[in-house]
């Protein structure tokens, strides 16, 4: 559509291609830019309005002394622990809550009861057993006794995955209480039953890898926000845990190698002198040093020790403790310099994980520590460990990952990059939530989402073109344009999430990447994100603390962004609704008359006129010329004397700036944008010119403040625009790109034309070979 505009005398106009706000006839406002004050908790002495810990912030502490034994034949762990609990709160406590996470696998577990099941046309015994919660497996923590420091029995009550200990007397501020728990549990077959920890037995050699997680009764968190965080553990919502110091002794078969949270206290009792020397060498090596070789591990696989060894580990200021144990473990290590402090990056893996793990695992651990330390805080712990256990789960200083190649040593790119990604992700969890200790039972996104975002940063710094699964805006589009009844806001309790991976990992990671790259810019975002990590390291942040810190440290009002991305399920879909060519009215009668007549002459004729011309219709006036008068020759588009006088006055009123602007040719366009999806976002529009050049304009999201449905911008350019393109680099997660072009681009689909028989297109069946296998085959 073309519309003519007049240039008023003395109007200031810039010579570059600029844009101007344009008014709207209608006003829409459903408060998408309303501040979040009503949704966020009121700041107080514990948590400030700036998002920082307040002057009276406090948190509890729980120290553990644990002795544990693994019975390899019975697949059972037996343990006893002494817990010293510090009440640093201003409240008086009369009971304590303990987490018994193994009870999720007890026969009366709510996890199995509330799980929906479906039976297909085919099933097997294991699937049926899973529906019933594997009734043959006697799972759950078996509490043997609970006593105080003097050995006196304490009253306790077990409610599913939570145990309440009733204190013999009130525990006041500044006081401690020490108690003991003896227990055991039957370790689950992880490959059969699933789960974060358990055991895996290798059919080829009969040996087992134990990954021991959620294995001891652990203190629940008591804080200023919730009081006790004693929501039941149903499986998805992970763990809210208290920081403390750990002193742990682990007894296992003597030919096992134990990978664990913490630092080994008795290397001479469990390692050979050669292994100790190699470990020392690894501290200063620039490449991983093999401490236990594949040859050694393979030799041990052929026989099982009947005696035991006890590995003694200590860890300070951690929120949890986990370990792995197996005679199958190969072990390599390398020192990593984190701002002058040496951290040992280490990997433990069976021969089935080579050559991938030997080549990449410890390097990926080191890379993660370096990148995350740059964007958050310096990694504070002495070790960081990756254990290959065909899964993915994180704990302080140690994580369990996957990454086994084919038996011939080849592997697909999916396995290679999947392995590197899961190592980066799980090692990265040391920062979120092991150090920045959010409440996973309530808000999964605060650890998984933030960590997945940092994972994306680390992946992109691993190699050019790294095939990151989550982080780029375009990768979340399919989720965001899905059925609304299958999507919930990010701000949803962990156990109520739908599409867990997309909601807790993908969408928040993408949101943060958009904040960094498009809305805030890297400098402001990186500073604020690092400030959040530093403020809340070794503390318990809540969502409001994150939101407030990001704004406080950047001076960017992000309430609209948190509201749209985290509190709603609205998608991004901005459309170029219409473009109007604003043609300049020069007010020169000679110029404008010609333009108006030319425009009239290009208008289509009506069908009657066309048929009359074809029929060479002779009208009555044609036959009788005497009927013609003034109006038969009058053209309303012709200029008159008054038009010329007005133009003369107009020219006299122009100043030098106006004349200079008029001397150049300009193209003026009004572009109307429609917010179809509902989620307001910046308008990023590329103007593609007739000469092949282009120009990208960034319009902040605040343009939608007073009308969140339709807004307009006027662009004044010195070159003709042939195409307007919204979000040309796909940085806002716009779910419909068809309406991002004006003029619209036709959809293109491909088809093949062929005859039956000999002319059918040739096909190649590669079977199940991975690219490395196919390359070997082709070489032969």
């Amino acid at each position: 559509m073309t519309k003519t505009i007049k240039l008023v005398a003395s109007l200031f106009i810039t010579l570059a291609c600029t844009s101007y706000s344009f008014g709207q006839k209608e006003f829409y406002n459903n408060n998408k830019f309303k501040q979040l004050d009503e949704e966020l908790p009121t700041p107080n002495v514990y948590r400030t309005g700036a998002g920082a810990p307040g002057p009276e912030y406090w948190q509890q502490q729980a120290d553990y002394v644990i002795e544990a034994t693994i019975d390899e034949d019975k697949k059972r762990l037996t343990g006893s622990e002494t817990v010293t609990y510090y009440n640093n709160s201003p409240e008086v406590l009369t009971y304590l809550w303990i987490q018994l996470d193994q009870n999720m696998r007890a026969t009366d577990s709510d996890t199995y009861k509330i799980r929906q099941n479906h039976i297909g046309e085919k099933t097997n015994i294991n699937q049926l057993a899973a529906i019933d919660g594997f009734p043959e497996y006697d799972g759950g923590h078996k509490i043997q006794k609970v006593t105080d420091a003097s050995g006196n029995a304490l009253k306790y009550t077990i409610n599913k995955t939570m145990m309440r200990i009733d204190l013999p007397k009130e525990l006041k501020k500044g006081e401690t209480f020490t108690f003991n728990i003896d227990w055991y549990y039957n370790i689950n077959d992880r490959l059969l039953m699933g789960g974060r920890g358990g055991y895996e037995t290798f059919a080829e050699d009969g040996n087992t890898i134990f990954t021991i997680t959620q294995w001891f009764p652990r203190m629940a968190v008591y804080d200023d926000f919730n009081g006790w965080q004693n929501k039941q553990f149903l499986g998805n919502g992970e763990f809210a845990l208290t920081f403390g110091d750990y002193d742990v002794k682990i007894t296992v078969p003597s030919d096992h190698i134990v990978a664990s949270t913490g630092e080994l206290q008795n290397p001479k009792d469990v390692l050979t002198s050669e292994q100790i020397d190699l470990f020392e060498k690894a501290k200063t090596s620039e490449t991983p040093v093999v401490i236990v070789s594949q040859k050694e591990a393979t030799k041990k696989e052929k026989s099982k020790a009947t005696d035991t060894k006890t590995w003694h580990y200590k860890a300070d200021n951690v929120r949890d403790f986990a370990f792995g144990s197996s005679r199958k473990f190969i072990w390599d290590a390398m020192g990593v310099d984190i701002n002058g402090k040496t951290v040992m990056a280490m990997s433990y893996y069976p021969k089935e994980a080579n050559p991938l793990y030997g080549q990449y695992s410890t390097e990926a651990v080191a890379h993660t520590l370096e990148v995350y330390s740059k964007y958050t805080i310096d990694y504070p712990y002495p070790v960081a460990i990756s254990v290959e256990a065909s899964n993915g789960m994180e704990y302080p200083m140690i994580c369990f990952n996957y990454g086994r190649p084919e038996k011939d040593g080849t592997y697909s790119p999916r396995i290679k990059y999947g392995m590197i990604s899961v190592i980066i992700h799980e090692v990265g969890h040391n920062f979120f939530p092991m150090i920045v200790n959010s409440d996973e039972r309530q808000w999964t996104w605060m650890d998984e989402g933030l960590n997945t975002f940092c994972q994306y940063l680390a992946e992109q710094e691993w190699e050019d073109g790294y095939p990151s699964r989550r982080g780029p805006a375009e990768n979340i589009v399919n989720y965001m344009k899905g059925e609304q009844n299958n999507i919930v806001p990010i701000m949803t309790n962990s156990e109520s999430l739908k599409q867990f991976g997309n909601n807790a990992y993908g969408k928040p990671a993408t949101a943060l990447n958009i904040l960094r790259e498009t809305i805030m810019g890297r400098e402001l975002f990186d500073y604020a994100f690092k400030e959040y990590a530093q403020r809340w390291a070794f503390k318990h942040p809540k969502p409001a603390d994150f939101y407030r810190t990001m704004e406080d440290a950047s001076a960017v009002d992000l309430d609209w962004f948190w509201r749209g991305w985290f509190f709603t399920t609205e998608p991004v879909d901005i459309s170029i609704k219409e473009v109007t060519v604003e043609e300049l009215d020069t007010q020169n009668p000679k110029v404008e008359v010609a333009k108006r007549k030319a425009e009239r002459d290009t208008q289509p004729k009506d069908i009657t006129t066309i048929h009359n011309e074809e029929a060479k219709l002779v009208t009555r006036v044609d036959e009788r010329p005497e009927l013609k008068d003034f109006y038969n020759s009058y053209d309303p588009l012709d200029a008159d004397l008054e038009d010329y006088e007005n133009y003369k006055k107009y020219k006299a009123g122009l100043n030098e700036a106006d004349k200079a602007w008029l001397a150049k040719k300009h193209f003026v366009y009004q572009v109307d944008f429609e917010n179809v999806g509902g989620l307001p976002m910046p308008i990023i529009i590329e103007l593609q010119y007739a000469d092949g050049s282009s120009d990208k304009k960034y319009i902040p999201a605040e343009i939608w403040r007073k009308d969140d449905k339709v807004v307009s911008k006027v662009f004044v350019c010195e070159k003709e625009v042939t195409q307007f393109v919204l979000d040309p680099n796909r940085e806002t997660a716009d779910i419909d790109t068809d309406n991002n072009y004006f003029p619209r681009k036709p959809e293109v689909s491909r088809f093949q034309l062929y005859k039956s028989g000999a002319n059918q297109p040739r096909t190649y069946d590669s079977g199940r070979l991975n690219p490395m296998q196919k390359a070997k085959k082709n070489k032969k």
Side-chain angles (χ1 to χ4, degrees), residues 17 20 59 86 94 96 116 123 151 299 307 325 339 351 371 376 420 430 478 625 637 669 674 688 727 761:
C17 182
Y20 305 91
Q59 64 188 37
Y86 299 76
T94 58
L96 307 178
Q116 294 191 48
T123 189
K299 182 179 179 180
D307 57 342
S325 181
N339 279 338
K351 65 180 187 297
V371 174
T376 60
I420 294 171
N430 277 287
N478 285 338
L637 296 183
Y669 305 92
E674 183 177 9
Q688 297 178 356
D727 194 13

Side-chain angles (χ1 to χ4, degrees), residues 27 32 75 121 146 182 187 262 284 326 338 346 351 421 441 463 466 532 557 608 623 643 696 728 777:
F27 176 75
K32 295 183 187 296
K75 305 296 190 293
E121 293 182 0
V146 181
D182 291 351
I187 305 171
T284 55
S326 180
I338 303 296
M346 303 194 291
K351 65 180 187 297
S421 289
R441 188 63 51 86
E463 69 178 52
Y466 191 98
Y532 168 73
D557 184 355
T608 300
E623 292 177 337
D643 293 328
K696 189 165 68 172
K777 182 179 179 181

Side-chain angles (χ1 to χ4, degrees), residues 496-560:
S496 300
L497 292 176
K498 296 181 178 181
Q499 299 195 53
F500 199 83
N502 282 320
N503 190 287
Y505 295 68
K507 187 178 178 183
T510 302
L512 294 180
N513 191 45
I514 291 173
L515 268 186
R516 182 175 189 256
E517 300 287 12
T518 301
I519 294 172
M520 297 175 70
R522 292 188 176 187
E523 183 179 2
L524 286 175
F525 179 93
D526 290 351
Y527 182 89
F529 192 75
K530 193 176 185 74
E531 180 69 17
Y532 168 73
Q534 292 175 336
R535 282 179 175 181
W536 291 98
F538 300 104
K539 296 181 177 67
H540 300 280
K542 306 299 179 185
D545 302 317
F546 177 66
Y547 301 146
R548 285 168 168 158
T549 294
M550 291 300 293
E551 294 190 25
D552 180 69
S554 68
V556 180
D557 184 355
L558 296 170
D559 284 24
W560 65 271

Side-chain angles (χ1 to χ4, degrees), residues 172-183:
K172 298 178 181 178
K173 178 181 178 180
E175 295 181 343
T176 64
F177 181 71
T178 300
F179 60 95
N180 309 300
I181 303 177
D182 291 351
W183 83 97

